[in-house]
Amino acid sequence: MTWSGTSWGDSAPTAASTRALHTLTGRSMGTQWSVKLVAEAAALTALERGIQARLDEVVAQMSTWEPDSDLSRYNRAEAGTVQALPDGFYAVLDAALKLAADTDGAYDPTVGPLVNLWGFGPDGARDATPSEADIAQAQARVGWQRVGFDPLARSATQAGGTYLDFSSIAKGYGVDRVAAWLREQQIDAFLVEVGGELYGHGRKPDGGAWRIAIERPQHDAEEDDGGAALALDGFAIATSGDYRRYFDHQGRRYSHTVDPRSGRPVAHALASVSVLHPQCMQADALATVLAVLGPQAGMAYANRRQLAAMFVMHDGDGFLTRMTPAFIARQRAA
């Protein structure tokens, strides 16, 4: 999931402080990470290394693109193989399976065979739709109940052909992991971004919150409402949409968001959905849930769960925006 059109203002350090606002950057998970933080200049090298190390750990555990990751080893294991799970893998799988149960499979971490079949995984892109037989074959391997998850032993048993894909949740977990480590280092003001997923904590040197201005599509039917300006002190935001990864075939766009229940990319009017949540891992996964469910069912689910979510729908040649009451409340609080 990616986030576009965010912005924030830098500010100068106060005269009484030797700390300043700095920006650290790097690459991980096939994208760029950025951390704005208030710290002493002498600490920056160690902080940059620590941030990269935490993200590298997430990749080593959960990447489907790395053949030696813990996730890849699980995916290719023989039926009946029991694999001990490192802490991060365990936490993400536990959250993913709980969300799968809560959404009746609209979210499913075993969707990997379908993601790969439609050209959005490590098997490579495609420019034509797969056959019905191929879809049925891939979908037969999908089902979150297939994962032999043992929370007491912190292990997972491979049922045979089960293929986990954490691309809709691991990036958010990475943001949370970095944020937790920065707090451990007593960094009390920072804004973490990994590939568009963001989490803000504390205040900038001028006392202001980490504010982002969400750039929505033009011709928005509600564009006169002032936009969605948000403060991220203790909150994360993640988005899922059809405008970043897709392919066109015979005049139709196929989104990278695959519905595990149908075995096909979603085909509703939702262009993007963004979720605010105290945990970026949850915001990341919930944005995917709402993108799969679509405008009506997604809004109903978000309201039942009191989620702060913003939906942007295709509306002719323009876009239409709808927000949940929880999102509007957070926007007003900013």
Side-chain angles (χ1 to χ4, degrees):
M1 287 182 277
T2 56
W3 183 258
S4 65
T6 57
S7 63
W8 47 78
D10 290 355
S11 54
T14 62
S17 174
T18 60
R19 300 186 306 160
L21 182 59
H22 302 278
T23 301
L24 304 175
T25 61
R27 292 197 62 80
S28 183
M29 306 183 204
T31 188
Q32 186 172 15
W33 64 261
S34 172
V35 175
K36 289 179 177 288
L37 48 77
V38 180
E40 303 281 352
L44 295 179
T45 298
L47 289 170
E48 182 177 359
R49 289 174 179 169
I51 292 166
Q52 189 67 58
R54 271 71 204 166
L55 294 174
D56 289 348
E57 182 182 84
V58 175
V59 171
Q61 292 185 22
M62 303 178 219
S63 174
T64 57
W65 300 79
E66 296 294 333
D68 294 330
S69 72
D70 293 289
L71 189 68
S72 292
R73 289 193 293 106
Y74 175 85
N75 287 344
R76 65 171 179 265
E78 297 291 333
T81 301
V82 179
Q83 183 167 321
L85 305 179
D87 290 345
F89 193 147
Y90 165 82
V92 168
L93 181 58
D94 184 45
L97 293 175
K98 287 175 179 175
L99 191 55
D102 188 58
T103 60
D104 294 324
Y107 184 86
D108 193 326
T110 69
V111 73
L114 289 167
V115 172
N116 291 336
L117 179 66
W118 284 94
F120 300 112
D123 290 352
R126 64 183 306 136
D127 55 10
T129 60
S131 69
E132 292 296 323
D134 287 342
I135 294 172
Q137 185 177 28
Q139 197 167 19
R141 297 171 57 196
V142 174
W144 60 272
Q145 300 93 336
R146 293 168 52 87
V147 180
F149 181 57
D150 186 338
L152 294 179
R154 290 182 171 243
S155 67
T157 302
Q158 170 61 258
T162 303
Y163 187 103
L164 292 168
D165 185 334
F166 289 163
S167 60
S168 63
I169 191 171
K171 196 189 303 179
Y173 174 80
V175 171
D176 290 335
R177 186 75 180 87
V178 169
W181 183 78
L182 289 173
R183 287 192 292 267
E184 290 171 4
Q185 307 311 302
Q186 300 183 344
I187 304 299
D188 54 14
F190 55 81
L191 180 68
V192 180
E193 178 186 9
V194 180
E197 323 292 30
L198 296 113
Y199 176 86
H201 174 75
R203 299 277 169 163
K204 295 181 291 184
D206 65 356
W210 301 105
R211 293 174 60 86
I212 62 167
I214 305 169
E215 181 182 313
R216 296 183 294 182
Q218 295 180 352
H219 310 301
D220 193 317
E222 296 179 6
E223 63 184 357
D224 61 347
D225 66 1
L230 300 164
L232 293 184
D233 188 1
F235 277 86
I237 190 165
T239 193
S240 181
D242 69 358
Y243 54 88
R244 285 287 182 173
R245 296 183 62 201
Y246 59 89
F247 70 88
D248 293 316
H249 178 62
Q250 296 182 345
R252 178 177 171 183
R253 173 172 294 187
Y254 292 87
S255 166
H256 79 283
T257 302
V258 177
D259 187 337
R261 302 165 301 177
S262 69
R264 292 165 172 78
V266 296
H268 47 60
L270 191 59
S272 70
V273 59
S274 304
V275 175
L276 275 165
H277 195 279
Q279 280 189 302
C280 197
M281 175 179 69
Q282 292 290 341
D284 196 358
L286 286 165
T288 298
V289 168
L290 302 183
V292 169
L293 291 174
Q296 288 77 35
M299 180 65 78
Y301 179 89
N303 284 329
R304 286 197 305 272
R305 297 294 183 268
Q306 297 183 317
L307 301 178
M310 183 178 79
F311 297 76
V312 180
M313 285 79 71
H314 294 284
D315 184 38
D317 293 331
F319 298 89
L320 182 67
T321 298
R322 291 288 181 262
M323 305 176 192
T324 63
F327 192 97
I328 293 171
R330 284 302 312 166
Q331 184 182 8
R332 288 174 177 168

